[in-house]
Amino acid sequence: MADEKTAYRYLKESGLEPIEHKAIIVKYAPESDDLGSKVKNFFSSEYYVLQMCKDELVLMRVLVNAVCTLEKKIALRLPYSSVRSVEITDIGMSYRITIGTDTGTICLLAQIKELSEIRSSGVCAGLMGVPGTWHKNNLDDTLQMLKSLQAAC
């Protein structure tokens, strides 16, 4: 079983400098707002730990199985220097995180903390540590740090 500390350790072993308590559970946002895309995304079980590091943000895939383990390899590595814009929008039960880069746009969803313990982010975070707490506890500060990247652009 993995938890926030495991992600931190994996990244340190990879030579990165993760920032403590700046990790949340995310998934890729649907490509469009049509109902079909939303339904497909709702049933998707591809979750990632978004971890803020000293010079970059990274995504590590959560393997949704009986214990929600964390894949040791890094799925995406995005240097802060390549970030051109950051937009965070409250869309009801989730935040839509849109990150514009030198090469394109990445859209992610992070579930709101008020419902995270009963939704999939809480289940993943709960199975990866103390029930649903680290995603919930880290969400505000992590979103604030993402917003601060916009100011640095």
Side-chain angles (χ1 to χ4, degrees), residues 9-22:
R9 189 181 80 242
Y10 286 173
L11 293 171
K12 293 281 278 184
E13 289 171 1
S14 296
L16 298 173
E17 297 179 55
I19 301 170
E20 286 192 54
H21 309 300
K22 297 293 187 287

Side-chain angles (χ1 to χ4, degrees), residues 37-116:
S37 293
K38 288 180 179 180
V39 169
K40 179 182 171 188
N41 185 268
F42 179 79
F43 287 106
S44 167
S45 60
E46 285 206 20
Y47 293 92
Y48 298 83
V49 172
L50 181 152
Q51 173 70 58
M52 306 296 292
C53 296
K54 180 182 175 197
D55 298 315
E56 59 206 321
L57 69 84
V58 297
L59 294 181
M60 296 179 72
R61 187 167 176 233
V62 176
L63 301 174
V64 179
N65 51 30
V67 292
C68 282
T69 56
L70 189 60
E71 192 170 69
K72 196 168 184 172
K73 69 180 184 180
I74 296 169
L76 175 71
R77 202 168 168 172
L78 184 62
Y80 296 146
S81 61
S82 70
V83 174
R84 298 293 165 245
S85 64
V86 177
E87 183 180 333
I88 298 173
T89 308
D90 184 340
I91 58 170
M93 294 180 20
S94 298
Y95 291 101
R96 183 179 185 90
I97 303 165
T98 305
I99 304 169
T101 72
D102 290 341
T103 58
T105 302
I106 300 163
C107 296
L108 304 168
L109 295 176
Q111 295 175 347
I112 63 171
K113 65 182 181 180
E114 291 81 3
L115 299 176
S116 69

